[in-house]
Amino acid sequence: MAQAADSIRFILNDTEVAVSDVAPTATLLDFLRLERRLTGTKEGCAEGDCGACTVLVGRLAKDGQGGERLIYESVNACIRFVGSLNATHVVTVEHLAAGDGTLHPVQQAMVDFHGSQCGFCTPGFVMSLYGLWLTNDNPSRAAIEKALQGNLCRCTGYEPIVRAAEAAARERPSAIFDPITRTRDAIIARLKALQPQETIVVGKGEDCLIVPADAAGLATVLSEHPTATIVAGATDVGLWVTKQMRTLNPVVFINGIAELQRIDRTEAGLTIGAGVSYTATFDALSSAYPAFGRLIDRIGGEQVRNMGTIGGNIANGSPIGDSPPPLIVLGAAVTLGSKDGTRTLPLEDFFIAYGKQDRKPGEFVESIFVPALPAGDHFAAYKLSKRRDEDISALLGAFRIALDENNHVRTALIAYGGMAATPKRAKAAEAALIGQRWSEETIRAAQAALDTDYQPINDWRATSAYRMLAAKNLLMRFFLESTGERAQLRRFEEVA
């Protein structure tokens, strides 16, 4: 077996594999189907949208008491790169049934409740429901629907599948019938043994993939390969490969770096490591800024949230990224690391122009600091998209105000995504609010000022006229919710 320094090592179902001859952008889906002939995992959209390729990936995470726990998450194999799998446990649909052919309760429930017709999407549904089955023995209908946000079925309809999920939850056989439950302790031990102690390099020259063991190793790698593509979750980068056929060499995978997985909460605010997934940061963000938590629930499906990271959403610099506008109005700062040390700057200053951020060669996003929301400040974020769930934003607005004792606006922060080449504050609209009475008349003036702040473009997601009208309407919505009975109940944090 190749040494850890030149191979990606992980467990596939019940077999340990070492891959020392793999392209930097090889996907897990192709590896499963073409190399291992595990064809139960299907290719549908090849962009993380339909869920037909869903598998579970288990990883070790800190348990808060100095130990480690094993977490299994559903992911899209079509945009998950093999290079990101070191020290993980990949579970496919073939692993669920017992050796004698007895189906797992989730599989049997899909049969009993007629949850499959053509069957193409069924393995993906089974794996998403299996992930839910492992973590929730009494899921609500809402929890089931959330677990299935990233799975599309075009012929069966969702009601039989939901009923199957409810029935499977009631079936709790002894651990021997479940492949993960019965081997959990052994898998933890095996994954600990696979943790890298040094940087892994697969390939030669620039045509390679690199997996640093720690943040210091990452800084060293980027000093040697300043133009390398850094991959955390690959929820966007994966499409560069599957849809745009881009060459990204070399590729540096950072999802296994422990220092980038931290979440620290103090009275001053929340520090989120660049490698923390949306799923992992959900509880902390929801607790501190509930509107933000509800926004995360609308970022992709469960598989995308399990892979995607806020750090990656920022580093990518997309003008329609969901997290930058609310982070900007909350006053977030981004810390960049490199071999020369770290530097911190306000997040709004990080975005320079379309496709250009204030990140020097050799630097990487290390963490994001989000200040605590001052008592009395009103904060909201609204996302508009063609579909409610699992869709890219046409427009996203984030708002934060503080009022004085006379109901005048003391501070105002407004930022939009989808209105300019970068996530951008509406400074003219803010100026129209500050010092004025918090009233509909004042909001009308601020709405008019948005014409000075932005000149949105037309594209297939929305027209310029729609974006401007919607931006103005969201500002009015924020005002109405902050002054009405509904706002008192929701604490000004309702998300569209």
Side-chain angles (χ1 to χ4, degrees):
M1 181 179 291
Q3 297 300 309
D6 60 8
S7 66
I8 303 299
R9 300 169 64 204
F10 59 95
I11 301 169
L12 174 57
N13 293 329
D14 57 2
T15 303
E16 184 176 322
V17 298
V19 184
S20 57
D21 182 15
V22 61
T25 55
T27 65
L28 173 56
L29 177 63
D30 283 348
F31 177 79
L32 293 175
R33 293 183 60 83
L34 303 179
E35 300 295 329
R36 294 290 165 155
R37 299 299 178 185
L38 295 171
T39 55
T41 306
K42 306 299 184 184
E43 178 174 351
C45 64
E47 59 184 42
D49 199 38
C50 75
C53 66
T54 302
V55 299
L56 296 191
V57 173
R59 60 182 176 87
L60 295 178
K62 299 298 182 183
D63 61 8
Q65 299 177 346
E68 292 180 303
R69 58 194 177 102
L70 182 56
I71 297 174
Y72 285 91
E73 297 167 317
S74 57
V75 305
N76 296 119
C78 67
I79 54 171
R80 181 73 182 250
F81 296 128
V82 174
S84 70
L85 296 172
N86 198 72
T88 65
H89 181 203
V90 178
V91 181
T92 71
V93 70
E94 289 88 351
H95 194 48
L96 268 61
D100 63 0
T102 301
L103 296 180
H104 188 276
V106 172
Q107 295 172 307
Q108 188 61 53
M110 288 287 281
V111 174
D112 295 342
F113 288 85
H114 309 287
S116 175
Q117 287 188 38
C118 82
F120 190 85
C121 68
T122 303
F125 272 95
V126 166
M127 294 309 293
S128 290
L129 292 179
Y130 180 44
L132 179 67
W133 186 91
L134 285 171
T135 57
N136 191 334
D137 59 8
N138 186 29
S140 65
R141 188 181 183 92
I144 294 170
E145 291 178 352
K146 181 177 177 179
L148 298 179
Q149 278 177 326
N151 293 82
L152 302 181
C153 179
R154 292 172 174 84
C155 56
T156 302
Y158 298 97
E159 185 60 32
I161 298 171
V162 171
R163 288 200 297 268
E166 292 170 338
R170 296 190 292 267
E171 285 292 323
R172 292 286 158 180
S174 62
I176 195 170
F177 291 105
D178 179 59
I180 287 181
T181 305
R182 73 170 185 261
T183 61
R184 185 176 290 269
D185 290 342
I187 292 296
I188 290 175
R190 293 171 72 180
L191 293 184
K192 285 182 178 180
L194 295 179
Q195 295 293 320
Q197 301 302 313
E198 56 185 325
T199 295
I200 300 169
V201 181
V202 178
K204 297 181 179 180
E206 294 296 289
D207 187 21
C208 67
L209 67 86
I210 305 171
V211 184
D214 51 32
L218 172 60
T220 299
V221 166
L222 294 180
S223 70
E224 299 170 353
H225 303 275
T227 62
T229 301
I230 304 172
V231 175
T235 54
D236 193 24
V237 175
L239 275 68
W240 299 358
V241 174
T242 62
K243 298 302 180 182
Q244 300 176 16
M245 310 301 173
R246 287 167 58 176
T247 299
L248 307 178
N249 306 347
V251 180
V252 181
F253 294 97
I254 66 171
N255 57 300
I257 298 178
E259 296 102 313
L260 304 185
Q261 295 289 336
R262 67 190 182 102
I263 302 175
D264 297 328
R265 185 170 184 179
T266 66
E267 290 185 0
L270 192 64
T271 300
I272 305 169
V276 178
S277 69
Y278 294 114
T279 297
T281 197
F282 177 80
D283 287 343
L285 280 174
S286 294
S287 175
Y289 327 94
F292 211 145
R294 286 189 282 274
L295 175 63
I296 289 176
D297 264 347
R298 294 187 58 202
I299 296 176
E302 194 91 328
Q303 298 93 321
V304 168
R305 294 191 293 270
N306 289 338
M307 290 171 54
T309 67
I310 290 180
N313 200 222
I314 290 170
N316 191 27
S318 170
I320 53 172
D322 286 333
S323 64
L327 288 172
I328 287 172
V329 303
L330 288 169
V334 59
T335 295
L336 304 174
S338 72
K339 198 170 183 180
D340 297 327
T342 62
R343 67 184 179 102
T344 300
L345 67 157
L347 179 59
E348 64 178 294
D349 295 341
F350 180 69
F351 305 106
I352 299 173
Y354 182 77
K356 184 178 181 181
Q357 296 84 49
D358 185 2
R359 184 162 62 89
K360 301 173 184 177
E363 286 187 326
F364 59 93
V365 176
E366 183 178 277
S367 63
I368 303 95
F369 174 71
V370 191
L373 189 66
D377 278 22
H378 310 321
F379 166 65
Y382 309 108
K383 173 175 178 171
L384 299 180
S385 55
K386 292 181 179 292
R387 296 182 310 216
R388 174 175 172 79
D389 294 320
E390 203 188 10
D391 202 3
I392 296 171
S393 291
L395 175 72
L396 194 144
F399 310 88
R400 176 183 158 203
I401 64 162
L403 304 176
D404 64 19
E405 63 275 7
N406 296 315
N407 204 37
H408 286 73
V409 179
R410 187 172 67 248
T411 59
L413 291 162
I414 302 170
Y416 288 96
M419 292 287 284
T422 65
K424 182 184 174 185
R425 276 178 59 187
K427 293 188 177 181
E430 293 171 358
L433 293 174
I434 294 174
Q436 303 300 311
R437 186 169 181 80
W438 188 234
S439 65
E440 185 170 338
E441 182 181 0
T442 300
I443 292 298
R444 296 294 182 192
Q447 286 179 315
L450 288 174
D451 292 319
T452 302
D453 284 312
Y454 302 106
Q455 293 181 320
I457 64 170
N458 293 299
D459 61 21
W460 66 272
R461 292 190 183 92
T463 65
S464 173
Y466 171 83
R467 284 190 164 103
M468 181 58 73
L469 177 61
K472 292 178 178 180
N473 287 345
L474 290 183
L475 179 55
M476 180 60 74
R477 175 181 175 176
F478 177 60
F479 166 73
L480 292 174
E481 291 187 352
S482 71
T483 56
E485 180 180 350
R486 182 183 181 190
Q488 300 301 321
L489 296 173
R490 292 285 188 175
R491 296 182 60 205
F492 314 101
E493 293 156 347
E494 178 72 13
V495 174

